Amino acid sequence: MKKLLFILFGTILFAQPIFAQTKTVSGTIKSESDGLSLPGVSVLIEGTSKSTVTDLDGKFSISVNENETLVFSFVGFGAKKVKISNSTNVINLRMAEETNTLSEVVVLGSTVRATRKELGNAVTSLKGEDLIKAQPGGLSTALQGKIAGAQVSQNSGDPAGGFSIKLRGTSSILGSSDPLYVIDGVVLNNATTNVTNLNVTTGNSNMQIGQNRSSDINPNDIQSIEVLNGGAAAAIYGSRAANGVVLITTKKGVAGETRYTFSTSVTSNQIRKKLDLNTSNKQFVNASPALFPIQGNPKSPTTVNVLGRDLETRTIDVQRYDYQDDIFTTGVGTDTYFSLQGGDEKTKYFASLGYLVNEGIVKNTDFKRTGAKVRLKHDFNSKLSATVGLNYINSASNEKPDGNVFWSPINSINITNNTYDINKRDANGNLLAVDPNRVNPLSIIETFKIKQNTDRIISDLQLNYVPFKNFNADMIFGVDNYNQRGNVFIPRYPYVVNPAYYNDGYVSEATNRVVQFNNDLNLRYLWNINDKWKATTYGGYNVQTYRDNFAAVEGRNLKPFIETINAFNTLIPGSPSSSQSKYNLWGFYLQETIGYKDKLYITLAGRQDASTIFSKDNRSQFYPKASLSYVLSDEKFMEGIHDVVSSARLRGSWGKSGSLTAIKPYARFTNYSTGTLLGNSTFTIEGFKQGNLDLKPEQSVTYEIGGDFGFIKDRLNLSFSYYNADIDDLLLPVQLAASEGATNTIKNIGQMNNKGFEVNLKYDLIKKENLHLDLFVNYSSNRNKVTGLPQQRFKLDSNLAGAPVFVEMDKPIGIFYGTYFARNADGSLLLTPTGYPQTEKGDVNTGVPQRDASGQPTGTILNKQIGNPNPDYIISFGTNLNYKKFGLSVLFDGVQGVNVFDADYRTRQGVGSGTLVAKELSGELPRGYIWSVYNIEEFRVVDGSYLKLREVSLNYSFGKLNNFFDDLVITASGRNLISWDNFTSFDPETNSGGQSSVAKYNFGTVPIPSSYSLAVKVQF
């Protein structure tokens, strides 16, 4: 391999080109149908990487040699080629529309490109202007509903909340299922690091709550996105590609006069749906108002015994309140953006400034993002060019606890009986107590101070060298560097609360510093063997380094008047804490594509990867790939039906990829804690966890088959894919015998399978000069199954919500496994003799229910699968309408057949604010019904399916107003406007498990707001 690289570098440095006369060619590109100028047309010197794009007036200028060929390409239009002769100085072209996208160039790597017809796998391409129609604010928001096979979930409605993206299902149990993000060749870190909720119990799963760093990317800067769904498509990234790859290309400069873009918008965020609460003016008599529907009382003539508990039937009069009016507000947001782009033959530039403020629907929460971006490209000569990019982002947020704790604003609605006037204060203005041991929600809103601040720099340097025709070398140096800081201040409460809720106050400070560096070399050689055969060779290497430093201090028992970290008198056990992670990743790849008659393509590729996360014996892995693409419509036998079937392509691919996210860099080692015994130093195994030096990366082997078809002159386009991914060597926790000196370790002992299909359909229903209407549908279905475990099942997640998240053989990942209702043979509930639902019992060894002589359950309480958080299918559909200067876009998306463990619904019934309580009080349900179902886990598993009106956008373009203003566009839009669902709490999309790849439950998470925006965009 070293000899090969030496030869390649020698070729780059010493190959002598054939000199030719260089000249500057300029011109204007227009549409053939309406004569309008076409901005953004790519003008490429064939066989090189040198290119430019047309400006807003369709004009271009490029330096080119005689006898070279210019290729003009634009999405939706047929490509054209012009050979440069001695007399060629001006080229004015009219390009014809062509919806056949098989010749469209797509991005496959940092600088790796290919036409769509060459690929044996599906790639989703998105244009930047389609991402920002409804003022999304963030990258992940902009992607919702736009990628076939992707489940893009907003895990929290907090403005600083996180998102998850799953491409083709869950691919790891302990690791992340989010794809790899690459922006302009820089490998992005999209981690979720908790710096503001250190006192939140995360359980023993991979639960990740809070921001993930995709929130730093401004969608206004994006030119295009390519999404590589499968491992075969992304095999060029080897050990980082098992979850797919999102390749982001940002805007760049163009030759010509400087062009300016200014946009600003105002957004209103509102609660989409309020909970139905108990509005009855009654309450059952109880010594304490806490848990009054289920709390036991001394047996008396007015009590009823339900399943062993005596419950009072007498009631008293009370006044009830709706705390939602005190917690939620209308948040206002603004998004202001300014950019300029221009340049000349040698140097092209793009620069932008952005400022976003987004207030949350929970009072006193917000998210701010300020960004400055510069991108410069300079052509030193016809052979060598350099590009420099620099993006600085500062983000800051004011937060409140967001789920998973008993003192979050949303949980206060769920865990507090709504018979208290939470606005009442004492003579000194202090808020009063509510339910015993609970926190008044307004204390959280008014006095908790939780802040997060991040400074980030994303930078790249790219060198592009073309020593001779059809050969180019691209060198990339990329840096992603950010400093994250979180501060929390919880004052002493002026009333009695549970000490576990920090009754004496709490303060914390945490910092997280991350530096990630990547260096890529990509070499390409195009060999036109003859008029039938061509070969394209790619080769290169990638090196990536990662460093992070995390430090945190927590304390309680606060001093008066101090809100900084110095306020505490008592350190929290385990604090201060510090951790550091380091790893390196490197690899080489080679890819060969053979094309025959521009209709049959075979691609073979291989990558050798290694990572210091694993030991020397296991760190090196080989990731091969093979694909086939056949353009069926180019065959002569298809000519007779070309008016009906205008394009047809069959494709298939197979590839191997890996995942490095399941363990941290030092997880393979046994760590020790120090202590003293009888005055002597001792060493014990930390966490009783034994290291394992034999660990190796998780691996996925995927095959995919599919096709792309165009009908009725490509007005109707259909694409489908079927895939099967076998995931091996899953890293899982394993229990050890005490005799081994530890209780647990990690081993490569799991297997999992994902299989499914994706269908994309787009129909240009009307296509006229002043009227264009298209309809589209994206549908995907994934079936996940655990195919290998060291035991039949094990509990993966321990969480405050009580969600029983399990991994079980031959079942989907993350099922809910718990107690369930006893039922009759016909499926109806088997009631107790007094008419109450009850828990199923039977033989615990066989899992078979048993009945006594009276037909009632007997034996031991049984458990079984009671829910599945993995959807049956994902769907999105919508329409785009353009009439003269008006434009309308509508997008629906949703998931069906998914279950959510809704802890909030159950808790509201227990404290007395739920709707079932009102039915018990009115006699609609028998007294004690809530107690009879309260501890049955199946009661908390609810339907989480939904269909949302995700986006609506209406715009009007005034066009060229005068010699100064090229365009003025006014847009009114809305997001998350309607949700059709049967969910028992706020929003079925959110997830209190955060960015967990497995856990899915609801416990006090902020709901996703409906947003309404008005935007103005000016180009001049």
Side-chain angles (χ1 to χ4, degrees), residues 494-538:
Y495 45 80
V496 176
V497 299
N498 190 325
Y501 306 162
Y502 303 102
N503 59 320
D504 52 2
Y506 170 90
V507 64
S508 72
E509 181 176 299
T511 58
N512 183 45
R513 296 181 174 88
V514 174
V515 179
Q516 189 167 278
F517 171 83
N518 67 282
N519 172 211
D520 300 359
L521 172 67
N522 296 313
L523 308 174
R524 189 203 72 152
Y525 179 68
L526 174 63
W527 181 23
N528 292 307
I529 302 171
N530 53 43
D531 59 350
K532 293 182 180 179
W533 294 89
K534 75 171 184 177
T536 306
T537 304
Y538 279 101

Side-chain angles (χ1 to χ4, degrees), residues 426-577:
D426 63 20
N428 296 319
N430 295 317
L431 292 166
L432 302 181
V434 291
D435 247 0
N437 295 319
R438 302 301 194 198
V439 178
N440 186 319
L442 292 186
S443 293
I444 307 164
I445 297 293
E446 296 178 4
T447 66
F448 282 30
K449 296 181 180 180
I450 304 176
K451 298 179 181 294
Q452 184 172 174
N453 190 284
T454 302
D455 286 294
R456 187 174 195 175
I457 293 177
I458 301 171
S459 181
D460 69 287
L461 169 64
Q462 302 191 21
L463 299 175
N464 309 105
Y465 184 49
V466 185
F468 52 87
K469 186 177 181 181
N470 291 340
F471 183 87
N472 58 276
D474 302 311
M475 179 72 79
I476 300 173
F477 301 90
V479 178
D480 183 9
N481 176 24
Y482 63 85
N483 294 326
Q484 192 177 1
R485 179 170 179 170
N487 297 89
V488 176
F489 170 72
I490 300 175
R492 292 173 177 267
Y493 299 99
Y495 45 80
V496 176
V497 299
N498 190 325
Y501 306 162
Y502 303 102
N503 59 320
D504 52 2
Y506 170 90
V507 64
S508 72
E509 181 176 299
T511 58
N512 183 45
R513 296 181 174 88
V514 174
V515 179
Q516 189 167 278
F517 171 83
N518 67 282
N519 172 211
D520 300 359
L521 172 67
N522 296 313
L523 308 174
R524 189 203 72 152
Y525 179 68
L526 174 63
W527 181 23
N528 292 307
I529 302 171
N530 53 43
D531 59 350
K532 293 182 180 179
W533 294 89
K534 75 171 184 177
T536 306
T537 304
Y538 279 101
Y541 71 78
N542 316 104
V543 177
Q544 180 179 328
T545 64
Y546 175 87
R547 304 288 186 270
D548 75 38
N549 288 277
F550 179 87
V553 179
E554 300 176 82
R556 62 186 302 169
N557 186 17
L558 303 188
K559 304 168 186 174
F561 312 117
I562 303 176
E563 297 182 2
T564 66
I565 193 63
N566 298 320
F568 70 85
N569 288 304
T570 305
L571 272 173
I572 301 293
S575 181
S577 62

Side-chain angles (χ1 to χ4, degrees), residues 216-217 221 371-374 389-393 456-459:
D216 297 329
I217 305 303
D221 284 329
K373 181 177 175 64
V374 177
L390 178 63
N391 191 5
Y392 169 76
I393 310 105
R456 187 174 195 175
I457 293 177
I458 301 171
S459 181

Side-chain angles (χ1 to χ4, degrees), residues 726-728 751-753 785-789 809-811:
D726 287 312
I727 305 164
D728 296 320
Q751 288 88 38
M752 192 160 54
N753 176 265
K785 184 167 73 171
V786 177
T787 56
L789 283 179
M809 273 290 295
D810 299 321
K811 298 285 188 179

Side-chain angles (χ1 to χ4, degrees), residues 116-399:
R116 195 173 292 276
K117 68 170 67 175
E118 296 178 68
L119 306 177
N121 41 260
V123 176
T124 301
S125 299
L126 303 171
K127 293 188 291 185
E129 57 263 33
D130 293 333
L131 297 174
I132 58 175
K133 288 181 178 179
Q135 310 303 310
L139 170 62
S140 299
T141 310
L143 295 177
Q144 286 189 293
K146 299 181 178 71
I147 307 171
Q151 184 178 358
V152 184
S153 302
Q154 185 171 351
N155 296 321
S156 168
D158 186 277
F163 279 79
S164 292
I165 298 180
K166 287 184 182 180
L167 301 177
R168 297 181 173 177
T170 301
S171 55
S172 180
I173 294 177
L174 295 183
S176 169
S177 284
D178 274 12
L180 176 73
Y181 290 83
V182 181
I183 182 167
D184 293 328
V186 181
V187 178
L188 283 183
N189 187 294
N190 189 39
T192 300
T193 303
N194 182 9
V195 293
T196 56
N197 291 283
L198 306 178
N199 50 13
V200 176
T201 301
T202 58
N204 58 4
S205 76
N206 61 350
M207 186 179 86
Q208 303 174 55
I209 55 175
Q211 274 180 8
N212 42 1
R213 297 271 46 98
S214 62
S215 60
D216 297 329
I217 305 303
N218 190 337
N220 292 292
D221 284 329
I222 295 175
Q223 181 70 35
S224 64
I225 291 179
E226 261 83 27
V227 181
L228 314 181
N229 285 39
I236 192 171
Y237 286 100
S239 59
R240 298 168 291 178
N243 302 336
V245 183
V246 176
L247 296 160
I248 304 167
T249 302
T250 64
K251 295 174 181 177
K252 54 189 176 183
V254 295
E257 294 182 9
T258 302
R259 300 287 178 170
Y260 304 91
T261 299
F262 174 79
S263 65
T264 186
S265 65
V266 60
T267 300
S268 173
N269 301 314
Q270 303 171 15
I271 182 73
R272 180 184 57 78
K273 161 192 159 185
K274 284 188 175 181
L275 296 178
D276 291 329
L277 299 175
N278 179 12
T279 58
S280 169
N281 62 351
K282 298 291 184 182
Q283 178 166 300
F284 292 113
V285 172
N286 206 293
S288 168
L291 301 175
F292 80 89
I294 61 172
Q295 195 172 90
N297 285 271
K299 185 177 180 61
S300 74
T302 58
T303 60
V304 59
N305 186 276
V306 178
L307 298 172
R309 174 163 290 188
D310 293 314
L311 302 172
E312 185 62 71
T313 60
R314 291 177 299 154
T315 62
I316 56 173
D317 293 333
V318 294
Q319 181 178 353
R320 294 192 179 274
Y321 301 87
D322 188 348
Y323 302 152
Q324 297 172 99
D325 297 330
D326 299 289
I327 299 300
F328 296 117
T329 186
T330 297
V332 177
T334 61
D335 189 0
T336 303
Y337 180 77
F338 175 75
S339 70
L340 58 89
Q341 60 183 159
D344 54 27
E345 281 299 305
K346 291 289 187 180
T347 305
K348 303 172 182 65
Y349 54 85
F350 172 86
S352 69
L353 293 170
Y355 180 64
L356 172 110
V357 179
N358 192 28
E359 294 179 347
I361 56 173
V362 173
K363 292 179 179 179
N364 295 335
T365 61
D366 61 51
F367 174 73
K368 300 182 179 75
R369 183 185 64 224
T370 305
K373 181 177 175 64
V374 177
R375 193 156 192 83
L376 300 172
K377 181 180 180 182
H378 181 72
D379 296 326
F380 296 99
N381 51 48
S382 61
K383 306 296 179 184
L384 180 65
S385 65
T387 302
V388 177
L390 178 63
N391 191 5
Y392 169 76
I393 310 105
N394 172 264
S395 63
S397 58
N398 288 300
E399 307 171 12

